[in-house]
């Protein structure tokens, strides 16, 4: 006990909480590395390993969303599994079930994360770089 010391908690401005920051980091292609040859019209599963590189904890309210390129799936949003808790610096593997286009050529599909407040985020300095799948249809 310190005698004569009074601690006051009446200053409401000192209790302001700083918002956390959402950011991901690409770790690895678990399946379908870039330029993988896929069979026209056949299904495949793309799985990425990503790291929570921000300060927010990801829950099952977070989702992976199609952002641009060749969609190759009718799913535009993939929620993280129920009960998911990915604290900063932890990793998760996320999969999207896709179907190869029917025409020969090179295709790319780009994906970002979306937080519960509907804000998109990705990797990099500006947290706007998507993860992707790039395939060759033969």
């Amino acid at each position: 006990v310190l005698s004569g010391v009074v601690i006051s908690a009446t200053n409401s401005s000192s209790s302001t909480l700083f918002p956390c920051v959402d950011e991901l980091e690409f770790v690895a292609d678990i399946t379908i590395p870039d330029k993988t040859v896929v069979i026209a019209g056949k299904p495949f599963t793309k799985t990425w390993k990503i790291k929570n590189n921000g300060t927010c904890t990801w829950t099952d309210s977070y989702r992976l969303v199609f952002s641009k390129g060749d969609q190759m799936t009718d799913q535009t949003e993939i929620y993280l599994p129920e009960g998911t808790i990915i604290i900063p610096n932890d990793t998760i593997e996320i999969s999207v079930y896709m179907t190869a286009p029917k025409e020969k050529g090179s295709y790319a599909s780009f994906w970002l994360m979306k937080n519960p407040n509907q804000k998109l985020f990705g990797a990099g300095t500006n947290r706007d770089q998507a993860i992707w799948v790039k395939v060759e249809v033969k």
Side-chain angles (χ1 to χ4, degrees), residues 15 33 97 106 119 122 137:
S15 64
Y97 303 101
S106 298
K119 176 136 175 59
V137 176

Side-chain angles (χ1 to χ4, degrees), residues 45-75:
T45 301
K46 171 62 186 190
T47 303
W48 297 272
K49 184 174 190 176
I50 60 173
K51 177 181 172 183
N52 179 348
N53 207 35
T55 59
C56 301
T57 296
W58 300 349
T59 65
D60 54 17
S61 296
Y62 280 71
R63 55 203 177 272
L64 185 68
V65 298
F66 173 75
S67 89
K68 66 180 182 179
D70 304 297
Q71 195 167 326
M72 296 188 275
T73 178
D74 58 0
Q75 295 179 282

Side-chain angles (χ1 to χ4, degrees), residues 13-82:
S13 67
S14 67
S15 64
T16 303
L17 295 176
F18 293 98
C20 61
V21 175
D22 279 311
E23 181 180 346
L24 70 81
E25 177 183 317
F26 168 80
V27 176
D29 290 313
I30 302 301
T31 64
I32 316 294
D34 287 355
K35 305 295 183 182
T36 295
V37 174
V38 293
I39 299 170
K42 296 294 183 186
F44 64 93
T45 301
K46 171 62 186 190
T47 303
W48 297 272
K49 184 174 190 176
I50 60 173
K51 177 181 172 183
N52 179 348
N53 207 35
T55 59
C56 301
T57 296
W58 300 349
T59 65
D60 54 17
S61 296
Y62 280 71
R63 55 203 177 272
L64 185 68
V65 298
F66 173 75
S67 89
K68 66 180 182 179
D70 304 297
Q71 195 167 326
M72 296 188 275
T73 178
D74 58 0
Q75 295 179 282
T76 58
E77 297 190 348
I78 314 298
Y79 277 88
L80 299 187
E82 189 173 338

Side-chain angles (χ1 to χ4, degrees), residues 10 32 52 62 94 98 115-117 129 133:
T10 58
I32 316 294
N52 179 348
Y62 280 71
I94 300 178
M98 300 184 175
N115 71 19
N117 297 323
Q129 295 173 10
V133 56

